[in-house]
Amino acid sequence: MNETPKAIAGPATYLDDRLGAGSFLKRNLRKVFPDHWSFLLGEIALYSFIILLLTGTFLTFWFKPSMGHVEYQGVYEPLKGVMMSEAYASTLHISFEVRGGLLIRQMHHWAALLFVAGMMVHALRVFFTGAYRKPRELNWIIGVLLLTLALAEGLTGYSLPDDLLSGAGLRITEGVAISLPIVGTYITFFLFGGEYPGVDVISRFYTLHILLIPGILLALISAHMVLMWVQKHTQMPGPGRTEHNVVGAPFYPAFMAKAGAYFLFTFACIAGLGTFAQINPIWLFGPYTPADISAGSQPDFYMGFLEGALRLMPAWEINFLDHTVPLSVLIPALVPMGIIMTGLALYPFAEQWITGDRREHHLADRPRNAPVRTSIGMAAVTFYGILWLLGANDEISTHFHIGLYETTIIGRFAIFIGPAIAYWITYRICIGLQRRDQDILSHGVESGVIKRLPHGEYIEVHTPPAEDIAEHMRGKKQIPIVPGDDDKDGIPPKGVRGPIGKLRAAASKFYGTDHVPLDGHGHHDGHGDGHDEHAAVGAGDKPRELH
């Protein structure tokens, strides 16, 4: 790190002589990146997006975004002579007649699934480690917007082939749009170009799918990467790691080599899936007609939770001022998405308000060390998972021989009970893991060596944990609590006065109270006399205050 490698110095000098950018290049190519397996999750989403752009560009050369009716005369015999849209016919042409077309089409679909899945898992990693805290709140908001736009991008792309399966999803989209009070009819007529199914929805979705949404995604991803570069990457606790440094390898050559290899690995996985795992065989579904629907039809996984919400919701509607508001469609379409996305966007600011913590954080938390946050996250994951699972309630009923009505009723109870159970279980697990950490720091780890003491007792000798593991455990930070005690005159602090202030003080104490203070920094010397006791792990309810 003290010398600039020749591979950087030469190009940097060349650019500096012509553009004055040499110092910028030298400085940034030697930027240090931390090394942890979980940091690769975001890269999966990034590389999947690059593959999406490449494969999508290939497909645009042959796809015809038109709903004009044609008679199919291609090579797929079962559909010869069948009337269909040009969009469906061109998709069949890509699949059966364009060399490599089916492979690229399936790679595009698999990359889309991996793109959304990668962003979801990356968001969970950031959430559970607290990497959204100051100064990264803006980058977190950008990430939430990226995830929301990715869902819209998937919906528009899923609908383009105009097959019977995607048409069923498009019909649900139309039902959701038209259920919006006042503006629903206008939105529906704009999207479809008239009464459903209209003549323009494919061409308009095509414009959104290949131009508008990808352009916004590309801009937001660029902003996301620039902010990450400027603010530096978070790192996990460990030897020599502080809030003011980064321990790792330089961008060139270490990170570039790993990133290049990981991109090729991601590309190989997607290519392998596109080759050997069939996905979306539209020729089996047939062209879309509004009068038909496939049995057991399911959307792509990222839309499964909205499908489940629609299936669980009772058939409620209200009539107001000669307008019918179908709550059975409106609530499932808006409330689950609103709870998840709005909750994600506001959480950093809610946590900052509750704890009063306005410090910069560059060291990530272990999920066990923030039990309330981790429990809230798992409750949200359970809420999403139940909705996603019940999006296939007909398949569950068929394969497990459970009545469809009973499956739906169980789901309606589980959507409220499940997250509460997940919260409690996760909280207890976090506390148990903290106690385990404290025990290891206080007494060391089991060595497997049995020793007999002079008075006849047998004990197992403990040895100190490895230094890197011990430092990882000692990285636990106490969660601040806003001061809530009254002063000597009985007046509460300014920030916790009134009903809202009292609510904040109670929430802060609940959120930040450490039930397992990490005070066992000593270790066993491996020569115990048989009278050592495990460190106490009592309630430790005395709160810490942020002054």
Side-chain angles (χ1 to χ4, degrees):
M1 295 298 294
N2 296 326
E3 295 183 7
T4 304
K6 292 182 179 180
I8 298 177
T13 302
Y14 180 89
L15 291 175
D16 196 42
D17 292 342
R18 291 156 179 81
L19 302 175
S23 60
F24 173 83
L25 189 64
K26 290 179 182 179
R27 181 176 68 253
N28 285 282
L29 283 178
R30 301 299 284 170
K31 186 177 179 68
V32 174
F33 278 81
D35 189 15
H36 192 268
W37 66 268
S38 65
F39 299 155
L40 299 175
L41 298 173
E43 293 182 37
I44 293 176
L46 176 63
Y47 301 150
S48 299
F49 181 71
I50 294 172
I51 296 170
L52 277 172
L53 293 179
L54 296 174
T55 54
T57 302
F58 177 91
L59 296 174
T60 57
F61 290 130
W62 288 277
F63 182 74
K64 297 179 180 179
S66 170
M67 297 182 71
H69 281 264
V70 296
E71 181 180 337
Y72 180 69
Q73 294 298 330
V75 298
Y76 187 64
E77 291 292 336
L79 290 177
K80 266 197 175 179
V82 175
M83 297 299 295
M84 59 185 63
S85 67
E86 286 189 275
Y88 186 70
S90 65
T91 308
L92 290 176
H93 176 74
I94 292 171
S95 301
F96 294 115
E97 299 177 61
V98 174
R99 182 165 296 181
L102 181 58
L103 172 63
I104 298 300
R105 209 187 116 244
Q106 295 208 144
M107 285 180 62
H108 189 73
H109 203 129
W110 279 115
L113 298 182
L114 197 59
F115 176 54
V116 179
M119 280 199 294
M120 287 182 172
V121 179
H122 176 62
L124 290 176
R125 198 277 300 175
V126 172
F127 179 85
F128 285 125
T129 61
Y132 53 77
R133 293 172 294 179
K134 183 181 178 180
R136 297 175 179 83
E137 303 97 329
L138 180 58
N139 225 6
W140 172 256
I141 296 293
I142 291 175
V144 174
L145 290 175
L146 281 170
L147 182 56
T148 306
L149 284 171
L151 299 181
E153 177 76 344
L155 173 65
T156 55
Y158 177 81
S159 304
L160 291 181
D162 200 31
D163 60 285
L164 187 57
L165 184 62
S166 68
L170 200 57
R171 181 59 163 170
I172 295 174
T173 303
E174 185 265 348
V176 170
I178 206 169
S179 71
L180 299 173
I182 302 174
V183 299
T185 307
Y186 298 97
I187 292 175
T188 305
F189 270 64
F190 173 75
L191 279 179
F192 292 88
E195 287 282 356
Y196 180 86
V199 294
D200 295 327
V201 65
I202 296 298
S203 59
R204 288 177 180 175
F205 270 25
Y206 183 72
T207 302
L208 293 172
H209 184 73
I210 73 162
L211 184 63
L212 182 61
I213 300 178
I216 299 174
L217 283 173
L218 194 58
L220 289 176
I221 289 173
S222 300
H224 193 73
M225 300 298 293
V226 168
L227 280 174
M228 185 274 295
W229 191 278
V230 171
Q231 294 171 345
K232 74 183 180 180
H233 207 295
T234 56
Q235 58 185 346
M236 299 301 292
R241 299 171 187 176
T242 71
E243 296 283 3
H244 308 289
N245 69 356
V246 179
V247 177
F251 179 73
Y252 177 87
F255 185 81
M256 287 181 65
K258 288 193 295 184
Y262 202 57
F263 171 77
L264 293 177
F265 179 75
T266 305
F267 185 89
C269 288
I270 291 174
L273 287 170
T275 303
F276 299 108
Q278 179 175 271
I279 189 169
N280 200 26
I282 60 163
W283 53 90
L284 299 181
F285 307 143
Y288 177 64
T289 56
D292 298 332
I293 190 170
S294 298
S297 58
Q298 305 292 329
D300 281 337
F301 86 92
Y302 48 84
M303 286 296 175
F305 78 107
L306 292 177
E307 177 82 7
L310 284 168
R311 297 189 183 199
L312 288 182
M313 185 68 189
W316 293 350
E317 66 179 33
I318 59 175
N319 295 291
F320 181 71
L321 298 178
D322 297 327
H323 288 276
T324 299
V325 181
L327 298 178
S328 57
V329 177
L330 196 60
I331 290 177
L334 300 181
V335 172
M337 179 75 82
I339 291 175
I340 295 173
M341 295 304 178
T342 305
L344 285 174
L346 296 181
Y347 195 88
F349 308 100
E351 183 181 87
Q352 190 178 93
W353 179 75
I354 289 172
T355 63
D357 186 5
R358 300 185 181 278
R359 301 169 297 176
E360 288 194 4
H361 293 273
H362 301 291
L363 281 178
D365 287 337
R366 300 175 77 199
R368 67 185 66 182
N369 294 333
V372 175
R373 178 207 297 149
T374 303
S375 302
I376 290 172
M378 287 307 300
V381 170
T382 304
F383 175 78
Y384 173 90
I386 291 172
L387 289 179
W388 175 81
L389 185 66
L390 270 296
N393 63 344
D394 54 341
E395 295 289 338
I396 294 172
S397 179
T398 300
H399 287 86
F400 294 96
H401 306 290
I402 304 173
L404 184 62
Y405 180 77
E406 287 80 2
T407 304
T408 305
I409 293 298
I410 291 171
R412 289 173 182 171
F413 282 98
I415 198 62
F416 297 102
I417 299 174
I421 295 175
Y423 180 95
W424 183 81
I425 292 175
T426 304
Y427 189 86
R428 298 314 308 168
I429 290 174
C430 288
I431 297 299
L433 290 173
Q434 287 188 48
R435 287 174 176 164
R436 176 62 175 164
D437 289 348
Q438 186 191 57
D439 184 63
I440 290 175
L441 288 176
S442 300
H443 301 283
V445 296
E446 298 171 352
S447 66
V449 177
I450 305 301
K451 182 178 180 180
R452 184 180 180 181
L453 301 179
H455 59 276
E457 180 184 358
Y458 288 91
I459 64 167
E460 182 175 13
V461 177
H462 284 60
T463 61
E467 187 59 27
D468 57 339
I469 296 176
E471 288 298 320
H472 192 55
M473 293 177 180
R474 293 187 187 114
K476 177 183 178 181
K477 296 290 191 299
Q478 294 182 341
I479 301 173
I481 296 176
V482 295
D485 296 333
D486 298 348
D487 62 15
K488 60 182 181 179
D489 297 321
I491 301 175
K494 184 177 181 180
V496 293
R497 298 173 187 172
I500 300 298
K502 292 179 180 178
L503 175 64
R504 181 191 182 193
S508 184
K509 186 175 181 179
F510 175 77
Y511 195 91
T513 299
D514 189 356
H515 294 283
V516 190
L518 194 61
D519 52 7
H521 291 283
H523 60 263
H524 198 285
D525 61 7
H527 302 286
D529 59 4
H531 299 289
D532 293 338
E533 296 292 334
H534 289 286
V537 288
D541 291 329
K542 184 178 180 180
R544 300 160 311 286
E545 296 188 350
L546 180 68
H547 296 286

